[in-house]
């Protein structure tokens, strides 16, 4: 997971600068362009979502309704 983030421009962004659409686009890219499987995408989401939730809890980013629903979103749909 860390190696994937290090290789990608998305992984070098500050969490307060990342938009939900950036995260979704990155997950779609990992699946469609990089050929990552569903279990890999699920694992990556499983790490990113709590990180974003902690950033919300710590007032680093604003709480947006769609961020809270992100756990139900899937790039496979």
């Amino acid at each position: 997971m860390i190696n994937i983030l290090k290789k990608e421009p998305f992984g070098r962004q500050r969490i307060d600068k990342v938009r939900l659409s950036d995260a979704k686009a990155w997950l779609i890219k990992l699946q469609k362009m990089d050929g990552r499987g569903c279990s890999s995408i699920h694992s990556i989401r499983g790490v990113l979502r709590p990180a974003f939730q902690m950033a919300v809890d710590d007032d680093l980013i604003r709480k947006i309704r769609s961020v809270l629903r992100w756990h139900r979103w899937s790039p496979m749909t």
Side-chain angles (χ1 to χ4, degrees):
M1 169 66 195
I2 298 298
N3 290 334
I4 294 170
L5 279 170
K6 283 182 182 179
K7 294 177 186 177
E8 300 284 336
F10 176 84
R12 292 188 291 273
Q13 293 182 36
R14 289 177 30 161
I15 198 163
D16 62 337
K17 301 297 181 191
V18 175
R19 297 177 304 172
L20 181 61
S21 59
D22 297 333
K24 287 182 179 182
W26 182 62
L27 290 172
I28 290 168
K29 176 205 170 285
L30 288 178
Q31 181 193 20
K32 293 188 176 179
M33 297 174 83
D34 297 352
R36 300 275 177 194
C38 292
S39 62
S40 295
I41 300 294
H42 184 74
S43 296
I44 292 166
R45 265 189 17 222
V47 172
L48 289 181
R49 187 177 185 284
F52 278 95
Q53 186 60 56
M54 281 191 287
V56 168
D57 294 345
D58 291 343
D59 294 323
L60 297 175
I61 58 176
R62 287 184 306 155
K63 184 176 183 177
I64 303 170
R65 278 186 1 185
S66 58
V67 170
L68 297 178
R69 284 191 231 161
W70 191 40
H71 70 284
R72 287 184 256 161
W73 176 82
S74 172
M76 282 61 87
T77 58

